[in-house]
Amino acid sequence: MGRDRGVRRFGAALLICAVGLGLLSCSGTTDPPPTETPAPTPSRARPASEPAPVPIAFAPLRGTLADGAALAHPSIAVKIDNHEEARPQIALNRSDIVFEELVEGGITRYAVVWHSDVPDEVGPVRSIRPMDPDIITPFGGPVAYSGGQEVFVDMMMSTGLPNLVFDYDDTGLFYRADDRPGPHDVILLAKEGVGRHLDLAPPPNQFVFGSADPLAAPGFAAQPTSHLALVFSDARFPSWDWDAAAGVWLRSQEGAPDSEASGERVRATNVVTLRVGIDWSWGEVPRTVLDGGGEAWVSVAGRTAHGSWSKAAREAPIVLTADDGSPLRLAPGNTWVELVPNDGSVAFAP
């Protein structure tokens, strides 16, 4: 009997081994289920056709995002004519900063700086004036003009900046446009002018930038503004109107809309108005006084804030300070600086 029970136990064990399909051994221990080792995931190589990431930087004169490599060149400052027969000017809306200054006869002229978007051609180009070294030196790039009184040319040459002068050029950097009356017909190959000086550094920042509405904080006490009326003289009284839909100021001259050669209305993201003294020691040629400081307004995003401006040295930028002592910030975009004489006038309408 005992022997029969032993045989039956042994047979039952064999049956269990068979039913378990090999998952249970005859000794009763459990083997883990078989697993597969996953193949390693190879790292993804960038296809040769896929472009490398673009290094992003801020344009120093506009405060806008841009391709860093595309900004690795100097700016170019150009004296641009604003005589009635010089209009419409070429590529003003592609500039970073425009300075409007009083010259002889009560008319104005521009010192225009291009960096983030240098056109192939700009103009009409005119002669240098005694305040231009103070305006242009901080940018550090070449300056282009058609000539000027010897004393003023010497002043500009003394800055050490590369001077590109139509009167002295025999390299084809300038030409006279057949469709414009002289002397308002000198055109500069601006991109070529920059390309000849790629050893120079990009310009340093000139202003402090904030948001698209940088004067919204109560501390600036910025006033709603729809219209700016500026008087340089009886012959020059530009104005700016706020276009809320486009988010820009639109320019007029002597009561008429001001357009550039492209047909676009001249426009600005920021209008900076500075009250300046005039030095008449050069006879009939006025010199805008930019050493020292004075009253300032910044108009942006349909608002205007009052403050002051200062300039420590010829090489230093213009510093804008709000009445509460904080920096007057600009919105990212292009800027016009209106250098209005103290005996002119400035008015802002809500």
Side-chain angles (χ1 to χ4, degrees), residues 72-307:
H73 60 79
S75 61
I76 186 166
V78 188
K79 285 310 302 292
I80 298 294
D81 199 350
N82 191 33
H83 190 279
E84 286 83 353
E85 293 185 353
R87 304 171 187 169
Q89 294 90 350
I90 301 171
L92 289 180
N93 283 343
R94 294 174 63 180
S95 67
D96 294 75
I97 304 176
V98 178
F99 296 86
E100 184 171 19
E101 60 191 36
L102 183 70
V103 295
E104 61 273 23
I107 65 174
T108 60
R109 192 165 290 179
Y110 304 144
V112 186
V113 184
W114 284 271
H115 176 250
S116 58
D117 180 15
V118 181
D120 291 333
E121 298 182 350
V122 302
V125 180
R126 286 306 299 271
S127 53
I128 207 74
R129 289 296 180 270
M131 54 283 209
D132 293 322
D134 293 332
I135 294 172
I136 294 169
T137 298
F139 297 93
V143 53
Y145 52 98
S146 63
Q149 293 186 32
E150 184 177 359
V151 62
F152 303 148
V153 172
D154 288 345
M155 290 167 64
M156 196 69 245
M157 292 281 190
S158 71
T159 64
L161 301 178
N163 281 230
L164 313 177
V165 187
F166 171 69
D167 288 354
Y168 308 151
D169 179 66
D170 58 2
T171 67
L173 196 58
F174 300 82
Y175 74 91
R176 288 192 181 274
D178 294 336
D179 59 344
R180 291 176 177 266
H184 316 288
D185 57 350
V186 177
I187 307 301
L188 168 72
L189 304 182
K191 188 170 289 186
E192 172 66 20
V194 170
R196 295 183 185 186
H197 297 281
L198 295 180
D199 56 315
L200 297 178
N205 291 29
Q206 298 296 302
F207 298 112
V208 179
F209 292 95
S211 67
D213 190 5
L215 304 178
F220 291 114
Q223 299 300 307
T225 307
S226 63
H227 181 76
L228 285 67
L230 313 174
V231 176
F232 282 76
S233 69
D234 291 341
R236 286 292 178 270
F237 40 96
S239 60
W240 296 87
D241 291 286
W242 175 244
D243 184 335
V248 294
W249 299 97
L250 299 177
R251 180 175 168 85
S252 297
Q253 294 204 78
E254 293 71 72
D258 187 17
S259 297
E260 62 168 27
S262 68
E264 292 182 342
R265 184 84 173 267
V266 176
R267 60 192 58 201
T269 301
N270 307 284
V271 179
V272 175
T273 304
L274 309 183
R275 297 305 296 268
V276 296
I278 300 295
D279 173 9
W280 291 99
S281 60
W282 303 103
E284 65 177 7
V285 180
R287 172 184 171 265
T288 299
V289 178
L290 283 177
D291 44 337
E295 198 172 14
W297 294 264
V298 170
S299 300
V300 56
R303 308 175 193 265
T304 297
H306 181 265

Side-chain angles (χ1 to χ4, degrees), residues 6-85:
V7 170
R8 286 196 295 270
R9 291 192 188 101
F10 181 73
L14 289 175
L15 179 61
I16 292 171
C17 288
V19 172
L21 298 176
L23 296 177
L24 297 178
S25 69
C26 291
S27 63
T29 59
T30 303
D31 292 328
T35 61
E36 294 183 2
T37 303
T41 302
S43 59
R44 178 179 175 270
R46 180 179 290 112
S49 60
E50 184 176 321
V54 175
I56 298 299
F58 284 96
L61 304 185
R62 276 184 173 247
T64 51
L65 287 173
D67 178 351
L71 299 173
H73 60 79
S75 61
I76 186 166
V78 188
K79 285 310 302 292
I80 298 294
D81 199 350
N82 191 33
H83 190 279
E84 286 83 353
E85 293 185 353

